[in-house]
Amino acid sequence: VRKCVDYALRTYPFRDGEKSRVFLEGRDFEAFGSELLLSYVIYNLLRNSLDAIGEARKGEIRIVLEPGEDWHRLYFRDTGIGISSEVLPHVFEEFYSGKGEGRGTGMGLPFCRRVMNSFGGEVKCRSREGEYTELELTFPRVEVGQRESHRVGGDTT
């Protein structure tokens, strides 16, 4: 999974000063799925977070990899504008955009949810308006040698 995050951070078209506001920490883990699809999920989360800290004119993005006993997690947290309590229940609905008229298609987070479900995992969103938004991506644990051809890259260190 770290390989996908590194690739996304290396290839994302950051504007001046944006990349210095992104921090990556934690230990790598392996997961089932497509590296390409996971990279697209990360691009989408980056774009949303960069929009949020840009609109707030403050903040940072923390990406944390957290391997676990049964489930592994990838947290994506920004300290931008946050999401209002009225919008939050709808963020995974297709064609729903809480960004205002003419901004966003309402397809990004539903796409992320479909990808995570296809990997056997899930995605959850928590937010507090004016403070933060956090996406938690949960991946099932991969057993050594299990379904080798569908494994997302990385090591188990």
Side-chain angles (χ1 to χ4, degrees), residues 44-129:
N44 197 337
L45 299 180
L46 264 175
R47 183 181 61 245
N48 288 349
S49 289
L50 289 168
D51 286 351
I53 65 176
E55 192 171 329
R57 293 191 166 103
K58 68 166 183 74
E60 65 183 27
I61 300 167
R62 290 224 172 256
I63 304 169
V64 179
L65 293 115
E66 185 180 277
E69 288 294 316
D70 297 318
W71 296 89
H72 304 301
R73 289 177 173 73
L74 173 65
Y75 294 96
F76 215 97
R77 181 183 179 105
D78 71 68
T79 54
I81 60 171
I83 300 171
S84 74
S85 59
E86 294 82 29
V87 170
L88 190 59
H90 305 286
V91 296
F92 293 110
E93 293 175 15
E94 290 185 357
F95 305 110
Y96 180 87
S97 176
K99 293 182 178 183
E101 194 168 324
R103 294 184 55 220
T105 62
M107 292 305 294
L109 289 177
F111 167 79
C112 294
R113 175 169 272 173
R114 282 193 308 278
V115 169
M116 290 307 299
N117 288 342
S118 77
F119 292 173
E122 63 182 10
V123 59
K124 297 176 186 173
C125 182
R126 291 180 282 278
S127 188
R128 180 165 294 151
E129 192 171 12

